[in-house]
Amino acid sequence: MGQLYLNKVQKLYGDFEVIRSVTLDIKDGEFVVFVGPSGCGKSTLLRMIAGLEDISNGDIVIDGIKVNHLPPVKRGIAMVFQSYALYPHMTVFENIAFPLRVIKMPEEKLREKVVSVARVLQLDQRLEQRPGMLSGGQRQRVAIGRAIVREPKIFLFDEPLSNLDAALRADMRIELTNLHRDLKATMVYVTHDQVEAMTMADRIVVLNAGDISQVGAPLELYHKPENLFVAGFIGNPKMNFMPVTCTAVGAEGVTIAFEGQTATLPVEPRAGLPGQTLTLGIRPEHTTLERGDINVTVMPIAIEQLGINTIAYAKLTTGEAYCALLPGSAPVTVDNAIVTGIRAADCHLFDGDGQALTRRVDPRHMGAIPAAVVG
Ligand SMILES: Nc1ncnc2c1ncn2[C@@H]1O[C@H](COP(=O)(O)OP(=O)(O)OP(=O)(O)O)[C@@H](O)[C@H]1O
Ligand SMILES: [Mg+2]
């Protein structure tokens, strides 16, 4: 079992509240990713779970047992860091075997375990080499091997892939996902890379300045961000935001006025909105060169041609920045204005406090299979 419960966990450094009363229930076998900008408290929270950092208030409970005062070795967890923290003078075999030597496991059983872990991580041909002879990805796998061999209930990872190049990171993402499937262990993974979060997580926890901003499945966060912070953090390039005025609400949704146009967006209406300034959110990938329910004239100031896509960094007539992610063949050039069309169904809308008006999203877009298909 590897059930982890954080109950109102808080961390203070002097007067500075780094983690503000975080409550989170992580199920046995779940892969949970903490994301957030630099300094938001991801590593601090992970280190508190590991027992490497005291908690100021609240409880950390593993499998029903409060572990606040248990030392790291007694918590049944293993942690893998960005800096592999391997012993350079020891072979790969001895690095992986280290935690088993500490508990004085008999030689034969130890050898069996290390070899089997090395096989899983495709390190079996490297066992006699020293870390200095390995690539970054291989070294990280040794560090992961050293964590696995202890058969922890919970794995904690702090940006384990950030020292690797892009291709290796993509390989390791798949390896870690497979490893999670094979081991069925609980994994808590910290990253500021939202691609890692989107691709590996069962659930993502978005942290902002020591607070949980939203918790949800990757596609839930993408389609239904609850606030401006999550909307801007999940998705690359970032969601565009612009001020609009609400003119009416009704059963169809919320009607907004923008640059002399009006459109009714399929979001849950609320009383009191008409007359208010709201924030319209449009993802760059929902911008097309065809007419839409809303049409926005923009002036490209920089173009990036990636082959598969063309990214146009542009300005609205109001001077605000606007980014459009277009097909690779899109005929756009710098300083030639384009009209981009957006479907009402693709829009996000946020109130004056930055809270989202709930979108009516087709469940199929969120990874759910409609009942009609299942039946
Ligand atoms: N020992 C300490 N004393 C005082 N402040 C600290 C200490 N350790 C961390 N902090 C502060 O706590 C905040 C959170 O730090 P933390 O390392 O958890 O951030 P992070 O989200 O992991 O960032 P990054 O993505 O850069 O690794 C930061 O503002 C940091 O300066
Ligand atoms: Mg960190």
Side-chain angles (χ1 to χ4, degrees):
M1 285 279 284
Q3 201 271 341
L4 172 65
Y5 179 52
L6 308 182
N7 184 24
K8 297 184 186 148
V9 171
Q10 188 199 28
K11 178 73 185 180
L12 296 158
Y13 284 117
D15 289 341
F16 181 38
E17 194 180 20
V18 176
I19 298 292
R20 305 159 188 245
S21 195
V22 163
T23 295
L24 183 66
D25 204 349
I26 297 178
K27 291 193 279 292
D28 181 37
E30 207 176 3
F31 198 131
V32 169
V33 176
F34 293 169
V35 283
S38 186
C40 70
K42 305 179 295 292
S43 296
T44 305
L45 194 53
L46 203 69
R47 290 169 58 81
M48 288 197 288
I49 297 169
L52 299 171
E53 200 82 64
D54 289 337
I55 62 177
S56 307
N57 279 301
D59 291 320
I60 296 181
V61 180
I62 296 177
D63 290 338
I65 296 164
K66 188 166 139 182
V67 298
N68 291 23
H69 302 295
L70 281 188
V73 288
K74 296 257 174 78
R75 295 190 183 195
I77 48 118
M79 188 150 170
V80 179
F81 301 91
Q82 172 182 353
S83 62
Y84 323 115
L86 301 178
Y87 300 106
H89 59 285
M90 288 186 190
T91 61
V92 167
F93 183 99
E94 287 304 328
N95 265 286
I96 296 177
F98 190 79
L100 306 181
R101 297 248 182 253
V102 171
I103 58 164
K104 302 202 166 43
M105 182 176 279
E107 185 66 28
E108 201 175 325
K109 194 165 164 211
L110 174 147
R111 189 155 289 277
E112 204 176 287
K113 279 200 156 225
V114 172
V115 169
S116 112
V117 164
R119 202 174 300 127
V120 172
L121 294 168
Q122 293 171 27
L123 288 168
D124 30 354
Q125 303 302 313
R126 307 269 172 188
L127 285 170
E128 294 316 313
Q129 295 181 342
R130 286 180 213 282
M133 298 168 70
L134 304 180
S135 72
Q138 288 161 343
R139 282 181 218 183
Q140 193 51 283
R141 275 186 272 155
V142 177
I144 293 168
R146 193 175 51 187
I148 295 175
V149 81
R150 296 170 52 191
E151 297 179 10
K153 291 188 273 196
I154 301 174
F155 285 85
L156 306 176
F157 295 95
D158 194 353
E159 310 228 14
L161 309 186
S162 46
N163 283 352
L164 308 180
D165 67 36
L168 209 46
R169 272 212 303 275
D171 289 348
M172 286 297 290
R173 280 204 302 269
I174 294 169
E175 282 187 32
L176 280 174
T177 307
N178 290 342
L179 192 66
H180 175 245
R181 203 181 42 222
D182 292 347
L183 299 176
K184 297 180 181 64
T186 308
M187 296 189 171
V188 184
Y189 188 104
V190 162
T191 181
H192 59 258
D193 178 345
Q194 50 149 315
V195 175
E196 285 177 18
M198 293 298 285
T199 54
M200 297 198 288
D202 293 319
R203 278 193 305 160
I204 297 176
V205 177
V206 182
L207 290 172
N208 179 20
D211 253 335
I212 293 184
S213 215
Q214 190 174 350
V215 182
L219 289 182
E220 207 174 316
L221 297 197
Y222 177 81
H223 289 295
K224 288 192 163 185
E226 283 171 2
N227 51 56
L228 280 173
F229 182 80
V230 175
F233 193 79
I234 300 288
N236 186 27
K238 217 168 139 325
M239 189 186 284
N240 298 296
F241 297 118
M242 56 198 80
V244 295
T245 308
C246 174
T247 56
V249 296
E252 296 291 297
V254 174
T255 305
I256 53 153
F258 169 73
E259 290 196 347
Q261 312 164 48
T262 59
T264 300
L265 310 183
V267 299
E268 295 302 331
R270 278 192 220 154
L273 286 181
Q276 283 191 24
T277 300
L278 306 177
T279 302
L280 173 65
I282 298 169
R283 293 204 182 275
E285 57 272 37
H286 293 146
T287 318
T288 69
L289 293 181
E290 285 142 34
R291 303 285 295 174
D293 300 312
I294 298 176
N295 299 290
V296 184
T297 303
V298 301
M299 179 64 81
I301 52 169
I303 304 283
E304 285 180 353
Q305 291 184 307
L306 304 176
I308 184 167
N309 288 120
T310 293
I311 305 177
Y313 298 96
K315 281 200 185 304
L316 299 172
T317 47
T318 53
E320 281 166 88
Y322 188 91
C323 176
L325 181 65
L326 300 165
S329 57
V332 286
T333 46
V334 168
D335 290 341
N336 285 311
I338 50 172
V339 180
T340 66
I342 301 108
R343 296 187 323 147
D346 289 330
C347 291
H348 297 250
L349 204 54
F350 304 88
D351 67 16
D353 297 326
Q355 297 301 309
L357 297 162
T358 307
R359 297 178 74 217
R360 296 168 180 164
V361 180
D362 184 335
R364 277 175 298 192
H365 296 320
M366 300 192 37
I369 302 166
V373 176
V374 176

